[in-house]
Amino acid sequence: MYRVQAGATTYAFPDLKTVLAKASPHRSGDVLAGVAAHSAAESAAAKMALAEVPLKTFLSETVVPYETDDVTRLIVDTHDAVAFQAISHLTVGGFRDWLLSEAATTEVLAAVSPGVTPEMAAAVSKIMRNQDLVLVARKISVISRFRDTIGLPGRMSVRLQPNHPTDDKKGIAASIVDGLMYGCGDAVIGINPASDNIGAITDLLAMTDDVIRRFEIPTQSCVLTHVTTSIEAIARGAPVDLVFQSIGGTEALNASFGVTLGVLKEGHEAALSLKRGTVGNNCMYFETGQGSALSADAHHGVDQQTLEARAYAVARQFKPLLVNTVVGFIGPEYLSNGKQIIRAGLEDHFCGKLLGLPMGCDICYTNHAEADQDDMDVLLMMLGAAGVTFIMGIPGADDIMLNYQSTSFHDALYLREALGLKRAPEFEAWLSRIGVTDGAGRLAKHQPSNPLLRHAQDLAA
């Protein structure tokens, strides 16, 4: 039982998952699940109670039972007790103060990361302001590599997302060329396929591989199909760079996605066997999103932000190149407005980086949410200041296949200009070499030697 006295009122919370849920900033998904605080006073009391919880408590009290959930078993069984020693004496409140202090340097945070559980990360985020989430995340450096180096300080990458509602290769190729001409694509050229047909998937893989090889682009491709389809494509000899899968923070949620930890391991090993990376072998790409567990009735009465953090335990087991929180995509039932989306994006980014992941964010909203592009500009700027690993680059910021609003090639240019952010070094050098950018990394005004321009019609054909 967790109790706190606030004036004449005593608030009591029966277990850790309840105090975590009540302390979580207000969001529609927790209200829908029936786990949210009933008032601002109760939420404040829960935050006070949570701040006094020793971090050691999270090692003995689980929010989803160990016996029935393989994600909980993964978290408990892989916890690094040696790394935890440096913070083992702290409460959640003390952990927040330490994270914000000068003692928590980039090097120290990297050393402590394996000792932090997702629930610890979620707990401390709940008592932090937005600026706290930015400041701490900015200090954390998580670097991953495949054909280029992602996550270096002062750099931000972009996933070029050239989706098409019918998987038309001409349309996809046109979007790829468009994005590359704006200097986007160093995180990945990643296609959400309209069809999960293995033939269509292998055709898209072959097309993107041809573009990368023809122009010697130091980047990687991914067709965001189910992990088992990627495994089959690899068995058929398809040129798979990254294996993708949506994941979640409970065994039941992952089962609803049609995956287990064992299947993810099989996909990881299949991708590693191809040895297609040139500067590294981080070959997994995961996507997550607050509210997915509730939508699958797989939340076990736990708040959606804590479950999101637990998904990161699954991701870090497989040393991914990229992890992406698709923060506003699931809909207003879970994050109803711009304020909730902004807060969730900052929480997810902070928790993911604290747990040692190369975190990106799809800064997005659906058309029936109470949000607009101004809200996304706020989150874009805050994540840029926080050192986000990558964002999305979508023609016009409007995905014509998935029908939602995200960030555009122009948004990436804006953020680079505003904050002085560079691209992945290998990709930056390639853009300069073919004439897309000048020596300072800005788009070149005249590109007469650009091979992309010379062969754009061939690609579209």
Side-chain angles (χ1 to χ4, degrees):
M1 182 71 71
Y2 299 86
R3 299 178 185 273
V4 65
Q5 188 74 29
T9 304
T10 299
Y11 292 89
F13 309 99
D15 50 30
L16 188 58
K17 74 176 181 181
T18 301
V19 74
L20 283 166
K22 302 290 187 182
S24 196
H26 181 81
R27 59 207 55 190
S28 51
D30 290 338
V31 173
L32 184 64
V35 301
H38 294 102
S39 66
E42 185 183 27
S43 178
K47 287 179 171 66
M48 292 169 63
L50 184 60
E52 297 301 319
V53 176
L55 292 182
K56 289 181 179 178
T57 301
F58 293 90
L59 303 179
S60 59
E61 185 177 351
T62 60
V63 297
V64 182
Y66 180 94
E67 296 77 14
T68 58
D69 187 86
D70 61 4
V71 177
T72 300
R73 292 194 292 274
L74 176 69
I75 293 167
V76 173
D77 296 347
T78 62
H79 180 252
D80 190 329
V82 175
F84 180 64
Q85 281 302 310
I87 56 172
S88 61
H89 61 290
L90 297 174
T91 62
V92 172
F95 189 32
R96 172 191 176 273
D97 294 342
W98 179 81
L99 287 169
L100 290 166
S101 75
E102 293 181 359
T105 63
T106 299
E107 295 74 21
V108 169
L109 288 167
V112 165
S113 179
V116 179
T117 69
E119 291 85 354
M120 293 176 196
V124 74
S125 75
K126 294 175 192 294
I127 62 168
M128 297 172 80
R129 291 176 58 184
N130 286 1
Q131 66 177 241
D132 298 339
L133 299 172
V134 169
L135 190 60
V136 176
R138 184 177 180 83
K139 295 194 289 185
I140 301 171
S141 179
V142 181
I143 299 168
S144 58
R145 296 178 173 91
F146 192 76
R147 290 201 188 96
D148 56 358
T149 305
I150 295 171
L152 291 168
R155 297 180 184 267
M156 179 200 70
S157 296
V158 176
R159 170 187 161 188
L160 202 172
Q161 184 169 307
N163 296 344
H164 192 278
T166 63
D167 288 339
D168 181 79
K169 287 191 284 187
K170 290 184 180 180
I172 290 171
S175 293
I176 290 174
V177 172
D178 190 24
L180 291 172
M181 292 291 292
Y182 280 104
C184 295
D186 51 340
V188 65
I189 299 173
I191 305 168
N192 296 92
S195 167
D196 209 33
N197 175 273
I198 186 64
I201 298 300
T202 54
D203 282 349
L204 292 175
L205 287 166
M207 185 196 75
T208 51
D209 182 62
D210 176 66
V211 172
I212 289 172
R213 286 190 298 105
R214 186 187 309 190
F215 298 102
E216 299 179 330
I217 309 173
T219 191
Q220 37 284 325
S221 70
C222 183
V223 176
L224 281 68
T225 186
H226 194 271
V227 60
T228 55
T229 307
S230 293
I231 292 170
E232 183 179 352
I234 290 171
R236 294 188 179 198
V240 175
D241 290 339
L242 306 183
V243 168
F244 167 81
Q245 184 55 48
S246 295
I247 55 172
T250 69
E251 180 177 352
L253 175 54
N254 288 321
S256 76
F257 291 143
V259 297
T260 64
L261 298 180
V263 169
L264 293 176
K265 181 180 179 182
E266 183 182 352
H268 185 218
E269 291 174 348
L272 284 173
S273 72
L274 297 181
K275 299 180 181 179
R276 292 176 58 83
T278 56
V279 298
N281 63 358
N282 300 117
C283 56
M284 299 296 284
Y285 177 15
F286 294 115
E287 286 192 345
T288 64
Q290 289 195 28
S292 55
L294 176 58
S295 68
D297 194 25
H299 60 101
H300 300 277
V302 181
D303 71 272
Q304 63 186 42
Q305 189 258 332
T306 298
L307 291 178
E308 172 72 7
R310 282 169 55 95
Y312 304 152
V314 176
R316 72 175 172 179
Q317 181 70 8
F318 300 101
K319 301 177 176 59
L321 181 76
L322 307 166
V323 180
N324 180 34
T325 169
V326 193
V327 66
F329 181 73
I330 301 180
E333 298 83 3
Y334 310 101
L335 297 168
S336 67
N337 56 39
K339 182 176 182 177
Q340 292 185 17
I341 292 170
I342 290 167
R343 174 69 191 191
L346 295 175
E347 289 169 347
D348 295 351
H349 178 255
F350 162 82
C351 289
K353 287 188 77 176
L354 184 59
L355 292 167
L357 292 175
M359 284 300 297
C361 184
D362 192 341
I363 301 164
C364 64
Y365 62 100
T366 57
N367 291 317
H368 56 311
E370 292 183 14
D372 59 28
Q373 215 64 35
D374 287 337
D375 295 315
M376 299 306 102
D377 284 350
V378 172
L379 181 53
L380 175 68
M381 194 68 174
M382 295 190 77
L383 285 172
V388 68
T389 301
F390 69 102
I391 63 170
M392 302 296 107
I394 297 169
D398 184 0
D399 193 297
I400 60 173
M401 194 275 279
L402 294 174
N403 295 308
Y404 77 115
Q405 309 303 312
S406 185
T407 47
S408 69
F409 306 142
H410 301 79
D411 291 328
L413 287 177
Y414 151 74
L415 197 61
R416 295 191 195 286
E417 180 71 20
L419 299 179
L421 299 173
K422 296 183 178 294
R423 301 167 181 87
E426 300 88 347
F427 193 81
E428 189 103 288
W430 174 78
L431 289 172
S432 178
R433 186 169 66 250
I434 70 167
V436 172
T437 60
D438 60 21
R442 295 185 293 263
L443 294 184
K445 293 182 180 179
H446 304 289
Q447 304 181 22
S449 63
N450 186 342
L452 286 171
L453 284 176
R454 293 201 307 269
H455 296 286
Q457 288 184 333
D458 293 340
L459 287 173

